[in-house]
Amino acid sequence: MSVSAANPVSQTSYDKNHESYDKFRPGYTEETVSTVVEVCKLSEKSHVVEVAAGTGKFTGELVKVTNARITAVEPSTGMLESFRKNFPNIEAIQASSFAIPLPDACADAIIVAQGFHWFATHESLAEFARILKPGGVLCCVWNYEDFDALSKDSWQYRTVKLCHGLDKNVPQYNHMNWPKAFDNQPWFAPYKEVKFPYEKSIPSREFYWNLWRTRSYLTALDPSELEKVHDQFEKIMDESLSKEEIQPDGSFNAKRGGHVIWATRN
């Protein structure tokens, strides 16, 4: 399968909003990154293939803590533009998860940050197994909204529910369909997982809205529909974000989590 096999909503949206994505999407906690390095057994001798590398949000965290060789794979032209600007010395290839132009058994680890739900299929796993060395590790990472820590009348719960209500027709982490990819397949051992709840500071209401606007399903809306969502968003924030939650600098905290899963190639 070719680059065109990448989900068209994700590819089109991220071609459009790659600069906003790079500016507003959050990074990853030290605990999350160190877990990835540990389970992938990364060293300066390791070759890591980062699939759906995007603008390099996870790459930036990775290069701080390891000297492993990284090859980035990304189907979106826009995302690659930002990635190459951010990391001109890292090899970056335009390709989908279904057809990665790398040799068999060339990688010690494959890392997918905030993207596996877009291509959680046996076809992708077969391709990952092809380029991984026997015993190599596939590691997937997500930031997620920590609903278990939220009351249903909180600003975070209500805004997330509003925006998640628009993602019905696109693959998303929160749909929890991605684990099915690991069912009835011969390439990987059952995956292991760990979650790390944390609080994330959001600089302002405007920043928070712009963060949501980087989601593919909001990017895909026509301007009039997006304006309606924005109006609902602002109404929720007016009703639910209390003055006590806002810091003197205008920031406020969201309850989030880091989710890491990993599976060893058979």
Side-chain angles (χ1 to χ4, degrees):
M1 298 177 74
S2 68
V3 167
S4 63
N7 185 286
V9 174
S10 67
Q11 195 163 349
T12 301
S13 296
Y14 295 141
D15 279 348
K16 290 180 180 178
N17 73 4
H18 61 98
E19 291 180 336
S20 294
Y21 187 105
D22 195 44
K23 181 177 180 180
F24 295 110
R25 283 292 183 102
Y28 298 84
T29 65
E30 182 179 338
E31 196 169 23
T32 297
V33 178
S34 63
T35 298
V36 173
V37 171
E38 180 181 352
V39 301
C40 292
K41 301 179 177 66
L42 298 186
S43 72
E44 61 182 11
K45 296 179 180 179
S46 301
H47 178 207
V48 177
V49 177
E50 188 182 353
V51 177
T55 66
K57 300 297 288 189
F58 192 82
T59 318
E61 307 290 350
L62 202 58
V63 297
K64 295 175 185 177
V65 295
T66 178
N67 291 321
R69 178 165 70 94
I70 300 171
T71 300
V73 176
E74 168 58 49
S76 163
T77 301
M79 289 291 204
L80 272 179
E81 179 184 332
S82 285
F83 185 95
R84 288 168 173 156
K85 186 184 299 182
N86 292 335
F87 303 99
N89 297 322
I90 293 179
E91 180 184 14
I93 300 168
Q94 185 167 22
S96 76
S97 62
F98 305 104
I100 300 173
L102 292 173
D104 294 356
C106 70
D108 298 287
I110 293 174
I111 296 174
V112 186
Q114 215 70 27
F116 182 63
H117 49 273
W118 285 107
F119 42 84
T121 65
H122 283 182
E123 291 81 0
S124 290
L125 291 188
E127 182 68 344
F128 293 165
R130 181 187 69 79
I131 68 171
L132 273 174
K133 298 174 183 177
V137 176
L138 167 63
C139 186
C140 302
V141 185
W142 290 273
N143 286 313
Y144 66 92
E145 309 291 334
D146 189 5
F147 279 115
D148 292 340
L150 298 172
S151 65
K152 291 187 177 181
D153 59 354
S154 68
W155 62 270
Q156 186 179 350
Y157 187 95
R158 294 180 65 194
T159 53
V160 171
K161 283 296 185 181
L162 168 68
C163 294
H164 279 184
L166 303 168
D167 69 6
K168 293 183 176 63
N169 297 320
V170 294
Q172 290 293 290
Y173 164 81
N174 56 284
H175 295 172
M176 295 305 292
N177 291 322
W178 55 266
K180 297 175 185 177
F182 291 95
D183 294 341
N184 303 313
Q185 51 81 29
W187 307 287
F188 292 90
Y191 70 82
K192 301 177 182 180
E193 65 182 320
V194 65
K195 291 184 176 181
F196 304 106
Y198 66 91
E199 288 200 354
K200 175 70 176 178
S201 177
I202 297 176
S204 66
R205 279 174 54 162
E206 181 182 14
F207 187 99
Y208 185 51
W209 169 245
N210 283 325
L211 187 159
W212 278 107
R213 283 192 63 184
T214 67
R215 300 282 181 150
S216 59
Y217 43 89
L218 266 73
T219 301
L221 294 176
D222 64 55
S224 62
E225 288 301 312
L226 185 62
E227 185 176 357
K228 291 178 183 177
V229 176
H230 187 206
D231 289 343
Q232 292 175 277
F233 179 94
E234 291 294 341
K235 184 174 185 293
I236 290 171
M237 296 298 284
D238 286 339
E239 292 173 348
S240 303
L241 181 62
S242 68
K243 294 179 180 178
E244 290 74 22
E245 292 177 280
I246 302 173
Q247 304 301 312
D249 63 358
S251 66
F252 46 94
N253 291 334
K255 295 185 183 298
R256 310 206 78 208
H259 189 185
V260 182
I261 73 161
W262 65 98
T264 303
R265 185 198 186 284
N266 293 327

